[in-house]
Amino acid sequence: MSALPTLPNPPALLRENLPEDLEDAIRKLKKERNAVILAHYYQESEIQDLADFVGDSLELARRGTKVEGDVIAFCGVHFMAETAKILNPEKTVVVPDLLAGCSLADGCPAPAFAEWLRRYPGHTVVSYINCSAGVKALSDVICTSSSAELIVSQLPDPIVFAPDRNLAAWVEKKTGRKFVVWPGTCIVHETFSERKLLELVAQHPGAEVIAHPECEPRLLEHAQFIGSTSALLRHVTESPKTAFIVATEEGILHQMRRAAPQKELIPAPPIENCACNTCPHMKRNTLEKLYLALRDLSPQIHVDEKTRVAAKKSIDRMLEMTAGLTLGPPAGQRS
Ligand code: 13P
Ligand code: SF4
């Protein structure tokens, strides 16, 4: 993995000293610390249920601009918590596990990206939010899966798009544009099996295939609806269809089941007989580690000021360019 510092799991002694009712202890600590818990949809369900806000990457960035309180406990992966810190330099941002990375962010180190960009002078650099602060600082504008199409449609050619080649291909298809692409992938979304998906479709002829744009293009060919985690959740809630084959990380099923308990949700199958549709980085976060992070105010996210200011510029540009975009499930059904 990347340049993230190594952090051991909590020592055995600490684990033995954890309170019995962790949820209750976390709620109490949250008050004592004047903290807000932000969580991504791929977190385990217990964490989602404790969070003050659960959302997709754009919603979490937007929410990150309105945090009251002194501490943000960010339950997601490193680049998401880093984004919250970039937007809130005066606040303490803690994470349950500093090693919760992302294959996309880790596969695009800032020094290599800077070197690569030299080949493309005059290009507008659009980077998916799944990248480090260093890469954000080298970018003109950030996008998320829910905002990439809207952002690209407002920009002139030529465009460099990094670091997800599958998202890039999907946006190229939607906009009819062509980008210079950094060839990264998400280890979770590239593991769905086209063959097994088609078998599942044959077994459930009434079910609609819905997929995240981080999936490979040949898998997306079979999807009737493609969107960010929030867009998928909203679609399941609002669609008249009653069964869905869901090609994204399985954590989103928790909110889908809550929002549409009467609907049948079938996870898309990975290539191997494995739990590869579970993000190993997202799932490093546990209630135990969240409790310890709030108790000890550690581990914390830090971003050097020069990088932060440059990265904030590209995030702010995304927020401005997507100000009118509505996301997520209908009001009243949010966590
Ligand atoms: P969204 O929640 O923005 O769709 O992103 C998915 C993802 O892979 C986050 O790492
Ligand atoms: Fe990164 Fe993929 Fe995990 Fe999202 S699901 S955090 S893109 S590795």
Side-chain angles (χ1 to χ4, degrees), residues 126-173:
V126 182
S127 292
Y128 189 28
I129 198 163
N130 297 36
C131 65
S132 66
V135 167
K136 288 183 175 78
L138 293 165
S139 306
D140 294 304
V141 58
I142 299 306
C143 72
T144 65
S145 51
S146 51
S147 61
E149 186 187 352
L150 176 63
I151 286 184
V152 163
S153 68
Q154 298 174 62
L155 296 172
D157 284 329
I159 287 176
V160 157
F161 194 105
D164 185 351
R165 69 168 182 223
N166 292 334
L167 179 66
W170 180 65
V171 179
E172 281 182 331
K173 195 171 167 197

Side-chain angles (χ1 to χ4, degrees), residues 167-211:
L167 179 66
W170 180 65
V171 179
E172 281 182 331
K173 195 171 167 197
K174 297 274 285 179
T175 58
R177 311 275 289 276
K178 205 83 197 114
F179 315 136
V180 174
V181 176
W182 177 279
T185 56
C186 160
I187 47 163
V188 178
H189 288 89
E190 70 176 358
T191 57
F192 293 113
S193 158
E194 186 186 13
R195 180 180 60 77
K196 289 188 185 174
L197 176 72
L198 291 176
E199 281 170 16
L200 210 54
V201 169
Q203 286 160 20
H204 302 269
E208 192 175 53
V209 178
I210 62 172

Side-chain angles (χ1 to χ4, degrees), residues 8-212:
N9 278 326
L13 184 67
L14 285 182
R15 265 188 254 137
E16 278 161 26
N17 288 344
L18 290 174
E20 229 167 82
D21 189 341
L22 267 177
E23 272 106 333
D24 187 53
I26 289 170
R27 276 188 210 101
K28 284 191 183 127
L29 266 179
K30 203 169 69 107
K31 267 201 193 132
E32 275 169 46
R33 297 291 190 206
N34 193 20
V36 171
I37 301 176
L38 304 182
H40 187 265
Y41 287 126
Y42 295 164
Q43 291 298 282
E44 61 177 63
S45 53
E46 290 87 348
I47 291 182
Q48 292 191 40
D49 291 346
L50 268 176
D52 296 289
F53 183 82
V54 187
D56 77 357
S57 306
L58 180 59
E59 291 171 311
L60 285 164
R62 280 179 173 171
R63 188 65 176 74
T65 62
K66 298 188 209 117
V67 175
E68 285 170 9
D70 304 315
V71 175
I72 299 173
F74 203 106
C75 301
V77 289
H78 189 272
F79 76 81
M80 295 178 172
E82 204 174 48
T83 303
K85 182 67 182 178
I86 289 166
L87 295 168
N88 296 277
E90 73 297 346
K91 295 196 198 298
T92 300
V93 177
V94 294
V95 289
D97 192 322
L98 206 50
L99 286 180
C102 167
S103 65
L104 283 166
D106 299 340
C108 185
F113 189 57
E115 189 58 37
W116 182 75
L117 283 180
R118 282 166 183 261
R119 294 192 230 158
Y120 307 106
H123 286 55
T124 302
V125 181
V126 182
S127 292
Y128 189 28
I129 198 163
N130 297 36
C131 65
S132 66
V135 167
K136 288 183 175 78
L138 293 165
S139 306
D140 294 304
V141 58
I142 299 306
C143 72
T144 65
S145 51
S146 51
S147 61
E149 186 187 352
L150 176 63
I151 286 184
V152 163
S153 68
Q154 298 174 62
L155 296 172
D157 284 329
I159 287 176
V160 157
F161 194 105
D164 185 351
R165 69 168 182 223
N166 292 334
L167 179 66
W170 180 65
V171 179
E172 281 182 331
K173 195 171 167 197
K174 297 274 285 179
T175 58
R177 311 275 289 276
K178 205 83 197 114
F179 315 136
V180 174
V181 176
W182 177 279
T185 56
C186 160
I187 47 163
V188 178
H189 288 89
E190 70 176 358
T191 57
F192 293 113
S193 158
E194 186 186 13
R195 180 180 60 77
K196 289 188 185 174
L197 176 72
L198 291 176
E199 281 170 16
L200 210 54
V201 169
Q203 286 160 20
H204 302 269
E208 192 175 53
V209 178
I210 62 172
H212 195 280

